[in-house]
Amino acid sequence: MKIGGVRVFDGEGVLAHQDVVVHDGVISQVAEAVAAPADVDGRGRTLLPGLFDAHLHLAPDPEAALRQLAETGVTTALDMFSGGEPLARMLRVRQADPPHLAALRTAGTGATAPGSMLEQLAGQPLPTVDSPDAANAWVDARLGDGADYIKIVYDEREGGPLDLATVRALVHAAHARGVLAVAHTIAEQRAREAIAAGVDGLAHLFIGDTVDQDFGRFAADHGVFAIPTLTVLRGLCGYRPHVDLEADQRLADRVSRGRPPIPVRPADPSRNHLYSAARAALGQLAAADVPLLAGTDTGLPTATLGVFGYGATLHGELELLVEAGLSAMQALVAATSAPARAFRLTDRGRIRPGMRADLVLVDGDPTQDIHDTRNLVAIWKRGVRLELTEPGN
Protein backbone atom coordinates (compact mmCIF):
# COMPACT_ATOMS: atom_id res chain seq x y z
CA MET A 1 0.00 0.00 0.00
CA LYS A 2 1.35 3.41 -0.96
CA ILE A 3 0.23 6.79 0.35
CA GLY A 4 1.34 9.27 -2.28
CA GLY A 5 2.39 12.92 -2.21
CA VAL A 6 1.71 13.40 1.49
CA ARG A 7 3.15 15.76 4.06
CA VAL A 8 4.66 13.61 6.82
CA PHE A 9 5.04 14.48 10.47
CA ASP A 10 7.43 11.68 11.34
CA GLY A 11 7.21 12.04 15.12
CA GLU A 12 9.95 14.68 15.32
CA GLY A 13 9.75 16.89 12.24
CA VAL A 14 8.08 17.49 8.88
CA LEU A 15 8.89 15.95 5.52
CA ALA A 16 7.14 17.54 2.56
CA HIS A 17 5.71 15.67 -0.45
CA GLN A 18 6.54 12.10 0.49
CA ASP A 19 5.52 8.64 -0.66
CA VAL A 20 5.04 6.24 2.26
CA VAL A 21 4.93 2.51 1.51
CA VAL A 22 3.56 -0.12 3.89
CA HIS A 23 4.17 -3.85 3.55
CA ASP A 24 2.98 -6.58 5.91
CA GLY A 25 2.01 -4.11 8.61
CA VAL A 26 5.37 -2.33 8.63
CA ILE A 27 6.55 0.90 7.03
CA SER A 28 8.95 -0.15 4.30
CA GLN A 29 9.76 3.15 2.59
CA VAL A 30 9.54 6.91 3.17
CA ALA A 31 10.89 8.81 0.19
CA GLU A 32 10.43 11.89 -1.99
CA ALA A 33 7.19 11.51 -3.94
CA VAL A 34 7.37 10.49 -7.58
CA ALA A 35 4.80 10.86 -10.37
CA ALA A 36 3.29 7.38 -10.14
CA PRO A 37 -0.06 5.94 -9.06
CA ALA A 38 -0.71 5.60 -5.33
CA ASP A 39 -3.29 3.64 -3.39
CA VAL A 40 -4.14 6.64 -1.20
CA ASP A 41 -3.93 10.27 -2.31
CA GLY A 42 -2.03 12.26 0.29
CA ARG A 43 -2.04 15.63 -1.47
CA GLY A 44 -3.17 18.43 0.85
CA ARG A 45 -3.05 16.02 3.75
CA THR A 46 -0.70 15.13 6.62
CA LEU A 47 0.32 11.66 7.73
CA LEU A 48 0.97 11.24 11.46
CA PRO A 49 2.19 8.33 13.53
CA GLY A 50 -0.64 6.69 15.41
CA LEU A 51 -1.40 8.81 18.46
CA PHE A 52 -0.96 7.86 22.14
CA ASP A 53 -3.13 8.62 25.12
CA ALA A 54 -0.51 8.21 27.83
CA HIS A 55 -2.93 8.27 30.78
CA LEU A 56 -6.40 6.77 30.80
CA HIS A 57 -8.51 4.12 32.50
CA LEU A 58 -10.09 1.45 30.32
CA ALA A 59 -12.38 -0.30 32.82
CA PRO A 60 -15.15 -1.36 32.94
CA ASP A 61 -15.42 -2.10 29.18
CA PRO A 62 -11.90 -2.06 27.75
CA GLU A 63 -12.82 -3.40 24.32
CA ALA A 64 -15.36 -0.62 23.71
CA ALA A 65 -12.89 2.00 24.91
CA LEU A 66 -10.10 0.65 22.73
CA ARG A 67 -12.35 0.59 19.69
CA GLN A 68 -13.35 4.22 20.17
CA LEU A 69 -9.71 5.19 20.68
CA ALA A 70 -8.63 3.50 17.46
CA GLU A 71 -11.43 5.17 15.51
CA THR A 72 -10.17 8.58 16.63
CA GLY A 73 -6.55 7.91 15.65
CA VAL A 74 -5.31 6.86 19.10
CA THR A 75 -3.60 3.56 18.31
CA THR A 76 -1.80 3.07 21.66
CA ALA A 77 -3.38 3.49 25.11
CA LEU A 78 -1.50 3.52 28.42
CA ASP A 79 -3.87 2.38 31.16
CA MET A 80 -2.98 3.72 34.60
CA PHE A 81 -5.06 1.67 37.09
CA SER A 82 -7.09 -1.47 36.52
CA GLY A 83 -7.78 -4.77 38.20
CA GLY A 84 -10.12 -7.72 38.34
CA GLU A 85 -11.98 -8.94 35.26
CA PRO A 86 -11.36 -5.76 33.20
CA LEU A 87 -7.61 -6.26 33.67
CA ALA A 88 -7.89 -9.88 32.57
CA ARG A 89 -9.73 -8.76 29.44
CA MET A 90 -7.10 -6.09 28.77
CA LEU A 91 -4.31 -8.63 28.99
CA ARG A 92 -6.04 -10.79 26.40
CA VAL A 93 -6.38 -7.82 24.08
CA ARG A 94 -2.76 -6.82 24.68
CA GLN A 95 -1.65 -10.29 23.65
CA ALA A 96 -3.86 -10.48 20.53
CA ASP A 97 -3.34 -6.84 19.45
CA PRO A 98 -6.28 -6.91 17.01
CA PRO A 99 -6.21 -4.26 14.27
CA HIS A 100 -9.60 -2.74 15.14
CA LEU A 101 -8.65 -1.94 18.76
CA ALA A 102 -5.96 0.39 20.08
CA ALA A 103 -2.89 -1.38 21.43
CA LEU A 104 -2.48 -1.11 25.17
CA ARG A 105 -0.09 -1.30 28.07
CA THR A 106 -1.22 -1.19 31.69
CA ALA A 107 -0.06 -0.44 35.21
CA GLY A 108 -2.53 -2.97 36.58
CA THR A 109 -3.47 -2.02 40.11
CA GLY A 110 -1.70 1.04 41.44
CA ALA A 111 0.10 1.23 44.78
CA THR A 112 -2.11 2.53 47.59
CA ALA A 113 -2.16 2.23 51.35
CA PRO A 114 -4.83 0.20 53.17
CA GLY A 115 -8.16 1.97 53.58
CA SER A 116 -7.63 4.47 50.75
CA MET A 117 -10.44 6.30 48.99
CA LEU A 118 -9.69 4.29 45.84
CA GLU A 119 -10.20 1.06 47.80
CA GLN A 120 -13.50 2.37 49.12
CA LEU A 121 -14.63 3.31 45.61
CA ALA A 122 -13.63 -0.11 44.30
CA GLY A 123 -16.02 -1.69 46.79
CA GLN A 124 -13.59 -4.52 47.42
CA PRO A 125 -10.12 -4.95 48.89
CA LEU A 126 -7.22 -3.80 46.73
CA PRO A 127 -3.71 -5.25 46.88
CA THR A 128 -2.21 -2.53 49.07
CA VAL A 129 1.29 -1.85 50.37
CA ASP A 130 1.81 -0.67 53.95
CA SER A 131 5.58 -0.47 54.46
CA PRO A 132 8.93 -0.40 52.65
CA ASP A 133 9.46 -4.05 53.59
CA ALA A 134 6.37 -5.02 51.59
CA ALA A 135 7.48 -3.24 48.39
CA ASN A 136 9.36 -6.08 46.71
CA ALA A 137 6.57 -8.59 47.14
CA TRP A 138 3.96 -6.05 46.06
CA VAL A 139 5.84 -5.21 42.84
CA ASP A 140 6.41 -8.90 42.10
CA ALA A 141 2.68 -9.51 42.50
CA ARG A 142 1.74 -6.70 40.12
CA LEU A 143 4.17 -7.91 37.49
CA GLY A 144 2.77 -11.38 38.00
CA ASP A 145 -0.69 -9.94 37.34
CA GLY A 146 0.59 -8.65 33.99
CA ALA A 147 1.50 -5.02 34.73
CA ASP A 148 3.88 -3.36 32.27
CA TYR A 149 4.93 -0.59 34.68
CA ILE A 150 4.21 0.45 38.25
CA LYS A 151 1.97 3.33 39.28
CA ILE A 152 2.28 4.82 42.76
CA VAL A 153 -0.65 6.87 44.11
CA TYR A 154 1.25 9.34 46.28
CA ASP A 155 -1.77 11.44 47.24
CA GLU A 156 -3.24 10.93 50.69
CA ARG A 157 -6.78 11.80 49.59
CA GLU A 158 -6.91 9.08 46.92
CA GLY A 159 -4.11 6.70 47.83
CA GLY A 160 -4.22 6.80 51.61
CA PRO A 161 -1.27 7.35 53.97
CA LEU A 162 1.46 5.94 51.73
CA ASP A 163 4.69 7.26 53.20
CA LEU A 164 7.74 8.49 51.34
CA ALA A 165 9.96 5.62 52.48
CA THR A 166 7.49 3.19 50.91
CA VAL A 167 7.44 5.23 47.71
CA ARG A 168 11.24 5.01 47.55
CA ALA A 169 11.11 1.27 48.15
CA LEU A 170 8.52 0.76 45.42
CA VAL A 171 10.61 2.74 42.94
CA HIS A 172 13.71 0.73 43.85
CA ALA A 173 11.82 -2.54 43.47
CA ALA A 174 10.44 -1.53 40.06
CA HIS A 175 13.83 -0.46 38.78
CA ALA A 176 15.49 -3.62 40.09
CA ARG A 177 13.07 -5.55 37.88
CA GLY A 178 13.63 -3.35 34.85
CA VAL A 179 10.27 -1.58 34.78
CA LEU A 180 9.21 2.04 35.04
CA ALA A 181 7.60 3.65 38.06
CA VAL A 182 5.26 6.62 37.65
CA ALA A 183 3.62 8.68 40.39
CA HIS A 184 0.16 10.16 40.77
CA THR A 185 0.42 13.45 42.64
CA ILE A 186 -1.90 16.48 42.55
CA ALA A 187 0.20 18.90 44.65
CA GLU A 188 3.60 20.38 43.87
CA GLN A 189 5.28 19.30 47.12
CA ARG A 190 4.21 15.69 46.60
CA ALA A 191 5.42 15.86 42.99
CA ARG A 192 8.82 17.06 44.16
CA GLU A 193 9.05 14.32 46.77
CA ALA A 194 8.14 11.64 44.22
CA ILE A 195 10.70 12.99 41.76
CA ALA A 196 13.39 12.99 44.45
CA ALA A 197 12.40 9.41 45.32
CA GLY A 198 13.43 8.39 41.81
CA VAL A 199 10.20 7.96 39.85
CA ASP A 200 10.57 7.95 36.09
CA GLY A 201 7.61 10.20 35.45
CA LEU A 202 4.65 12.10 36.80
CA ALA A 203 1.25 10.75 35.82
CA HIS A 204 -0.22 14.26 36.31
CA LEU A 205 0.84 17.80 36.89
CA PHE A 206 -0.86 19.55 39.80
CA ILE A 207 -3.30 22.30 40.61
CA GLY A 208 -2.96 25.46 42.70
CA ASP A 209 -2.47 29.18 42.36
CA THR A 210 1.30 29.17 41.90
CA VAL A 211 4.32 26.98 41.25
CA ASP A 212 7.84 27.54 42.51
CA GLN A 213 10.07 29.06 39.85
CA ASP A 214 12.59 26.20 39.92
CA PHE A 215 10.16 23.33 39.42
CA GLY A 216 10.96 22.80 35.74
CA ARG A 217 14.72 22.79 36.34
CA PHE A 218 14.26 20.45 39.32
CA ALA A 219 12.36 17.96 37.16
CA ALA A 220 14.92 18.23 34.35
CA ASP A 221 17.82 17.67 36.73
CA HIS A 222 16.20 14.41 37.86
CA GLY A 223 15.54 13.18 34.32
CA VAL A 224 11.80 12.61 34.64
CA PHE A 225 9.02 12.89 32.10
CA ALA A 226 5.60 14.39 32.79
CA ILE A 227 2.09 13.60 31.59
CA PRO A 228 0.31 16.93 32.23
CA THR A 229 -3.28 15.62 31.86
CA LEU A 230 -4.56 19.18 31.47
CA THR A 231 -7.98 17.81 30.55
CA VAL A 232 -8.66 16.31 33.96
CA LEU A 233 -6.89 19.11 35.82
CA ARG A 234 -9.28 21.57 34.18
CA GLY A 235 -12.10 19.33 35.35
CA LEU A 236 -10.75 19.49 38.91
CA CYS A 237 -10.58 23.26 38.53
CA GLY A 238 -14.27 23.66 37.81
CA TYR A 239 -14.26 23.52 34.00
CA ARG A 240 -16.19 20.85 32.12
CA PRO A 241 -14.06 19.65 29.19
CA HIS A 242 -16.87 17.83 27.40
CA VAL A 243 -18.64 21.12 26.69
CA ASP A 244 -15.91 22.39 24.35
CA LEU A 245 -15.50 19.00 22.68
CA GLU A 246 -19.23 18.68 22.01
CA ALA A 247 -19.14 22.09 20.31
CA ASP A 248 -16.87 20.67 17.56
CA GLN A 249 -18.92 18.64 15.10
CA ARG A 250 -15.88 16.52 14.28
CA LEU A 251 -15.88 15.24 17.88
CA ALA A 252 -19.40 15.77 19.17
CA ASP A 253 -20.77 12.34 18.26
CA ARG A 254 -17.74 10.59 19.68
CA VAL A 255 -18.17 12.48 22.95
CA SER A 256 -21.88 11.77 23.19
CA ARG A 257 -21.31 8.06 22.52
CA GLY A 258 -18.79 8.06 25.35
CA ARG A 259 -21.09 9.70 27.89
CA PRO A 260 -21.44 7.37 30.88
CA PRO A 261 -24.75 6.81 32.69
CA ILE A 262 -23.74 9.04 35.60
CA PRO A 263 -24.39 12.75 36.12
CA VAL A 264 -21.76 15.36 35.34
CA ARG A 265 -21.15 17.84 38.14
CA PRO A 266 -22.07 21.45 37.40
CA ALA A 267 -19.22 23.73 36.39
CA ASP A 268 -17.66 25.63 39.28
CA PRO A 269 -16.03 28.90 38.15
CA SER A 270 -14.90 29.60 41.72
CA ARG A 271 -12.22 26.93 41.23
CA ASN A 272 -10.91 28.13 37.84
CA HIS A 273 -8.00 29.99 39.43
CA LEU A 274 -6.48 26.69 40.58
CA TYR A 275 -5.58 25.86 36.97
CA SER A 276 -2.82 28.50 37.07
CA ALA A 277 -0.22 26.19 38.59
CA ALA A 278 -0.67 23.54 35.91
CA ARG A 279 -0.16 26.02 33.08
CA ALA A 280 2.85 27.61 34.77
CA ALA A 281 4.43 24.25 35.55
CA LEU A 282 3.94 23.13 31.96
CA GLY A 283 5.72 26.23 30.69
CA GLN A 284 8.65 25.61 33.01
CA LEU A 285 8.91 21.96 31.99
CA ALA A 286 8.85 22.81 28.30
CA ALA A 287 11.52 25.48 28.76
CA ALA A 288 13.70 22.96 30.61
CA ASP A 289 13.25 20.32 27.85
CA VAL A 290 11.50 17.86 30.15
CA PRO A 291 9.76 15.24 27.96
CA LEU A 292 6.02 15.91 27.92
CA LEU A 293 3.52 13.17 27.09
CA ALA A 294 -0.09 13.72 26.04
CA GLY A 295 -2.58 12.00 28.33
CA THR A 296 -6.10 12.76 29.47
CA ASP A 297 -7.13 10.59 32.46
CA THR A 298 -10.28 9.67 30.57
CA GLY A 299 -12.29 6.94 32.29
CA LEU A 300 -15.26 6.25 34.48
CA PRO A 301 -13.71 7.80 37.64
CA THR A 302 -13.32 11.21 35.95
CA ALA A 303 -16.53 11.24 33.91
CA THR A 304 -18.32 13.29 36.58
CA LEU A 305 -15.85 16.09 35.78
CA GLY A 306 -16.84 16.07 32.10
CA VAL A 307 -13.87 13.94 31.03
CA PHE A 308 -15.34 11.35 28.66
CA GLY A 309 -15.27 10.37 25.02
CA TYR A 310 -12.20 8.18 24.51
CA GLY A 311 -10.00 9.60 21.76
CA ALA A 312 -11.94 12.84 21.49
CA THR A 313 -10.40 13.91 24.79
CA LEU A 314 -6.90 13.32 23.39
CA HIS A 315 -7.61 15.75 20.55
CA GLY A 316 -8.83 18.17 23.21
CA GLU A 317 -5.66 17.63 25.25
CA LEU A 318 -3.54 18.58 22.24
CA GLU A 319 -5.48 21.84 21.97
CA LEU A 320 -4.94 22.51 25.69
CA LEU A 321 -1.20 21.88 25.38
CA VAL A 322 -1.00 24.48 22.62
CA GLU A 323 -3.15 26.95 24.56
CA ALA A 324 -0.73 26.51 27.47
CA GLY A 325 2.24 27.50 25.33
CA LEU A 326 3.50 24.52 23.36
CA SER A 327 3.83 24.78 19.61
CA ALA A 328 1.63 22.50 17.52
CA MET A 329 4.75 20.48 16.68
CA GLN A 330 5.62 20.06 20.36
CA ALA A 331 2.09 18.89 21.08
CA LEU A 332 2.32 16.31 18.29
CA VAL A 333 5.63 15.05 19.66
CA ALA A 334 3.89 14.67 23.03
CA ALA A 335 1.32 12.36 21.43
CA THR A 336 3.71 10.29 19.30
CA SER A 337 7.46 9.87 19.70
CA ALA A 338 7.71 11.17 23.29
CA PRO A 339 5.43 8.54 24.90
CA ALA A 340 6.89 5.81 22.70
CA ARG A 341 10.37 6.72 23.91
CA ALA A 342 9.41 7.20 27.55
CA PHE A 343 7.59 3.87 27.77
CA ARG A 344 10.20 2.03 25.69
CA LEU A 345 7.85 1.14 22.84
CA THR A 346 10.55 1.30 20.20
CA ASP A 347 8.43 -0.04 17.33
CA ARG A 348 6.03 2.92 17.11
CA GLY A 349 5.68 6.68 17.50
CA ARG A 350 7.71 7.46 14.36
CA ILE A 351 7.18 7.22 10.61
CA ARG A 352 10.29 5.59 9.22
CA PRO A 353 11.20 2.25 7.67
CA GLY A 354 10.90 -0.69 10.03
CA MET A 355 8.29 0.87 12.32
CA ARG A 356 4.78 -0.43 12.87
CA ALA A 357 2.37 0.99 10.34
CA ASP A 358 0.17 2.70 12.93
CA LEU A 359 -0.75 5.75 10.88
CA VAL A 360 -3.28 8.58 10.86
CA LEU A 361 -4.08 10.59 7.72
CA VAL A 362 -5.78 13.97 8.19
CA ASP A 363 -6.84 16.81 5.97
CA GLY A 364 -4.83 19.98 6.49
CA ASP A 365 -1.65 20.55 8.46
CA PRO A 366 -1.79 19.95 12.23
CA THR A 367 1.86 21.01 12.55
CA GLN A 368 0.48 24.51 11.98
CA ASP A 369 -3.08 24.20 13.33
CA ILE A 370 -3.43 21.54 16.00
CA HIS A 371 -7.19 21.32 15.41
CA ASP A 372 -6.46 19.60 12.10
CA THR A 373 -5.80 16.33 13.95
CA ARG A 374 -9.58 16.11 14.07
CA ASN A 375 -9.92 16.05 10.26
CA LEU A 376 -9.64 12.27 10.11
CA VAL A 377 -9.40 10.74 6.64
CA ALA A 378 -7.94 7.29 7.29
CA ILE A 379 -6.41 5.31 10.15
CA TRP A 380 -4.26 2.21 9.92
CA LYS A 381 -3.18 -0.07 12.73
CA ARG A 382 -0.39 -2.49 11.81
CA GLY A 383 -1.16 -1.62 8.20
CA VAL A 384 -4.85 -2.56 8.40
CA ARG A 385 -7.22 0.27 7.53
CA LEU A 386 -10.01 0.89 10.02
CA GLU A 387 -13.58 1.47 8.99
CA LEU A 388 -14.44 4.95 10.26
CA THR A 389 -17.89 6.08 11.32
CA GLU A 390 -18.76 9.46 9.90
CA PRO A 391 -19.28 12.10 12.60
CA GLY A 392 -22.98 12.35 13.39
CA ASN A 393 -23.77 8.82 12.22
Side-chain angles (χ1 to χ4, degrees):
M1 185 266 293
K2 182 170 84 171
I3 305 167
V6 70
R7 179 189 306 105
V8 171
F9 171 74
D10 69 357
E12 299 289 349
V14 177
L15 303 170
H17 198 55
Q18 299 288 297
D19 286 341
V20 177
V21 179
V22 172
H23 183 69
D24 287 340
V26 175
I27 299 166
S28 61
Q29 183 179 359
V30 181
E32 186 73 22
V34 297
D39 300 290
V40 179
D41 185 1
R43 291 174 297 178
R45 295 167 169 170
T46 303
L47 190 67
L48 309 170
L51 304 174
F52 278 70
D53 189 327
H55 185 145
L56 40 61
H57 300 273
L58 296 170
D61 189 351
E63 293 88 352
L66 293 165
R67 183 185 299 275
Q68 189 169 357
L69 287 160
E71 291 178 352
T72 49
V74 180
T75 56
T76 301
L78 303 182
D79 176 79
M80 285 293 170
F81 199 121
S82 290
E85 177 57 23
L87 177 59
R89 289 161 60 186
M90 278 188 263
L91 297 179
R92 290 193 291 269
V93 172
R94 183 184 66 184
Q95 178 65 28
D97 197 18
H100 64 292
L101 303 181
L104 74 102
R105 298 293 187 271
T106 181
T109 304
T112 59
S116 70
M117 185 186 82
L118 291 177
E119 189 169 42
Q120 295 169 21
L121 289 174
Q124 60 185 6
L126 293 176
T128 57
V129 56
D130 59 5
S131 71
D133 291 341
N136 283 312
W138 189 91
V139 170
D140 283 336
R142 300 293 72 72
L143 298 180
D145 289 344
D148 297 293
Y149 40 87
I150 298 300
K151 181 184 178 183
I152 302 166
V153 185
Y154 188 46
D155 170 13
E156 188 162 1
R157 178 178 174 273
E158 293 192 29
L162 197 68
D163 63 43
L164 188 55
T166 302
V167 172
R168 291 193 191 99
L170 288 164
V171 171
H172 183 270
H175 290 171
R177 291 153 179 79
V179 298
L180 300 174
V182 300
H184 163 115
T185 63
I186 300 295
E188 180 183 355
Q189 183 58 38
R190 286 283 176 127
R192 286 176 176 269
E193 291 172 1
I195 290 170
V199 298
D200 299 284
L202 298 177
H204 299 281
L205 286 181
F206 40 80
I207 62 175
D209 288 308
T210 61
V211 58
D212 288 347
Q213 293 184 354
D214 69 333
F215 177 74
R217 178 46 51 195
F218 177 79
D221 288 345
H222 285 80
V224 300
F225 61 79
I227 310 170
T229 63
L230 298 182
T231 300
V232 77
L233 296 185
R234 280 175 60 84
L236 290 170
C237 295
Y239 298 94
R240 293 297 168 257
H242 73 291
V243 174
D244 291 336
L245 298 179
E246 287 178 332
D248 187 328
Q249 289 304 307
R250 295 167 293 185
L251 301 177
D253 181 62
R254 305 181 193 282
V255 176
S256 65
R257 284 191 285 130
R259 181 183 283 270
I262 56 177
V264 176
R265 298 179 197 168
D268 183 0
S270 72
R271 292 182 58 83
N272 290 175
H273 64 99
L274 295 173
Y275 188 56
S276 301
R279 285 180 59 111
L282 179 68
Q284 288 189 25
L285 294 171
D289 293 325
V290 171
L292 299 170
L293 284 54
T296 64
D297 205 8
T298 303
L300 190 60
T302 59
T304 60
L305 301 175
V307 181
F308 52 83
Y310 287 103
T313 50
L314 189 279
H315 293 279
E317 181 76 14
L318 295 177
E319 178 183 15
L320 293 176
L321 290 171
V322 172
E323 286 181 355
L326 298 193
S327 69
M329 289 267 284
Q330 288 174 313
L332 291 172
V333 169
T336 55
S337 60
R341 185 178 301 113
F343 281 85
R344 305 170 183 170
L345 297 173
T346 58
D347 62 345
R348 67 197 74 184
R350 299 291 304 273
I351 297 178
R352 63 185 182 191
M355 304 295 276
R356 278 171 61 118
D358 292 353
L359 301 167
V360 180
L361 184 66
V362 299
D363 279 326
D365 183 2
T367 70
Q368 299 298 315
D369 183 350
I370 198 63
H371 299 92
D372 285 352
T373 62
R374 307 173 187 193
N375 299 332
L376 297 167
V377 174
I379 298 163
W380 295 265
K381 185 185 170 208
R382 294 193 290 113
V384 178
R385 186 166 180 170
L386 277 67
E387 294 292 330
L388 299 184
T389 303
E390 290 294 326
N393 292 339

